[in-house]
Amino acid sequence: MSVLVFVEGLNGEIKKSSLEAASYGSQVAQAMGTTATAVAIGDVHEEALAKLGEQGISKVLYDADDRLKQFVADAYVKVIAKAAQQESAKVLVFSNSNIGAAVGSKLAVRLNGSLATNVTELPKIDGGNFTVTRGVFSGKAFAQVNLTSDVKIIAVKKNSTDIISNGGSAATVEKLSADLAESDFAAAPKETVMQDTGGGVLLPEAEIVVSGGRGMKGPENWHLIEELAKELGAATACSKPVSDIGWRPHHEHVGQTGITVSPNLYIAAGISGAIQHLAGVNSSKVIVVINKDPEAPFFKAADYGIVGDALEVLPKLIEAAKALDK
């Protein structure tokens, strides 16, 4: 009975959030006295899959069906369920991403399992109890949840666990086929949902995000956001009011009703920090706030703050970022 970890790929590599899930899953397996197996789907290089051994994964089941390069929930669920059955897995681990959330909920129904999302800590396993801690109320509180079903499904919150790199032997990669039918792809989207925000960086997966609000004073000043993002290799984002008034496209809107991000660095320029915006960025490891109002609510959540006009501060940050490359 192994622990099964679903890993997501992007441009042939394993997403950082999935490396976190793999590290989490291998630690759960160790606590249970078993091994951790990963299941990968679609466009992922086998070399990247083999490197999962560094995160404690012993084996990877890989379905390379070309039709799976685009996310289709029903097809992904069928593949993961086949892997879970093959491995007799009773604990399944995902990243708490959009894909992980969609697949996890469907698997919970299919496997009659208990599902816990937004999990922030390793489970406490005591006799017949399997208790996890999950963030609730937009990260303002934590709940202790005992998963009682035979199958337990855990979606790990991004940036809540460290990536293990133990230098272990390479994971073995085995082919997996779920015998998918055309009907499994009936709900395939007509077009991709995820869009990059410039420079080929997908906002939900970005390590660094530079975001702007109404303090940018107009779309004609957005080149400052884009230039800093370019220098830092970051994605660009915006607050909801900015997208609502048409300064930026809606797929850049970060917040409770937009995209949730978990970068290592989130730079907010000219954003006051409404609670709805904070709900979408509070998983960021480091938050830097630039605002001319010293009473702006965002400063309470910031790791670093700069009191000043974003239009005056950003050029200085751009200059400093360029100097780093020299």
Side-chain angles (χ1 to χ4, degrees):
M1 183 178 69
S2 69
V3 173
L4 183 69
V5 181
F6 168 54
V7 295
E8 301 174 35
L10 179 66
N11 299 326
E13 300 298 326
I14 305 297
K15 293 180 181 179
K16 173 179 173 287
S17 57
S18 286
L19 294 177
E20 294 173 356
S23 300
Y24 182 101
S26 67
Q27 291 178 81
V28 173
Q30 186 176 19
M32 295 174 61
T34 185
T35 57
T37 298
V39 55
I41 299 172
D43 186 16
V44 189
H45 299 320
E46 291 197 24
E47 294 83 357
L49 296 176
K51 288 182 180 179
L52 285 170
E54 297 180 6
Q55 282 72 55
I57 300 297
S58 59
K59 179 171 63 176
V60 181
L61 304 176
Y62 178 39
D63 193 327
D65 191 321
D66 285 340
R67 296 173 296 176
L68 294 169
K69 290 182 179 180
Q70 184 180 35
F71 172 63
V72 182
D74 290 342
Y76 273 46
V77 166
K78 189 171 182 179
V79 173
I80 299 169
K82 172 69 178 293
Q85 180 184 27
Q86 180 173 313
E87 296 299 307
S88 299
K90 298 301 182 182
V91 177
L92 283 68
V93 179
F94 304 80
S95 166
N96 196 64
S97 62
N98 291 338
I99 291 176
V103 168
S105 59
K106 285 177 174 287
L107 274 170
V109 174
R110 186 181 184 117
L111 302 177
N112 194 27
S114 299
L115 170 64
T117 60
N118 221 31
V119 172
T120 59
E121 297 178 12
L122 289 169
K124 296 177 182 177
I125 306 172
D126 182 15
N129 294 322
F130 192 100
T131 305
V132 296
T133 300
R134 58 183 301 266
V136 295
F137 301 119
S138 299
K140 291 182 173 56
F142 297 92
Q144 303 287 327
V145 182
N146 186 25
L147 304 183
T148 58
S149 298
D150 188 37
V151 175
K152 300 163 177 57
I153 303 173
I154 301 171
V156 182
K157 182 180 180 181
K158 296 178 182 179
N159 283 336
S160 66
T161 186
D162 293 329
I163 297 175
I164 296 173
S165 184
N166 58 18
S169 58
T172 60
V173 181
E174 300 179 5
K175 297 296 183 183
L176 175 69
S177 177
D179 299 321
L180 298 170
E182 289 302 319
S183 59
D184 294 317
F185 297 88
K190 299 297 182 183
E191 56 185 24
T192 182
V193 174
M194 298 179 67
Q195 302 183 49
D196 70 68
T197 60
V201 182
L202 290 171
L203 182 53
E205 305 303 327
E207 297 293 324
I208 303 174
V209 175
V210 181
S211 187
R214 284 182 293 184
M216 293 303 296
K217 301 179 182 178
E220 67 277 4
N221 297 316
W222 216 260
H223 66 94
L224 295 173
I225 296 288
E226 294 171 332
E227 189 171 352
L228 180 58
K230 180 180 178 182
E231 292 298 327
L232 297 176
T236 60
C238 69
S239 63
K240 186 177 187 296
V242 165
S243 64
D244 284 345
I245 59 181
W247 290 3
R248 299 301 298 171
H250 282 285
H251 69 256
E252 290 189 17
H253 160 211
V254 165
Q256 191 170 35
T257 58
I259 294 174
T260 299
V261 296
S262 304
N264 289 331
L265 173 62
Y266 184 80
I267 301 175
I271 300 175
S272 62
I275 189 171
Q276 292 86 353
H277 188 81
L278 289 173
V281 305
N282 60 11
S283 293
S284 305
K285 282 193 174 180
V286 176
I287 296 176
V288 177
V289 171
I290 305 166
N291 201 296
K292 66 180 181 181
D293 179 7
E295 301 300 321
F298 218 155
F299 282 121
K300 295 180 181 179
D303 296 284
Y304 300 94
I306 302 173
V307 178
D309 190 326
L311 302 186
E312 297 176 1
V313 174
L314 286 174
K316 296 178 181 178
L317 290 180
I318 293 168
E319 184 179 345
K322 288 180 177 179
L324 291 174
D325 295 333
K326 294 181 181 179

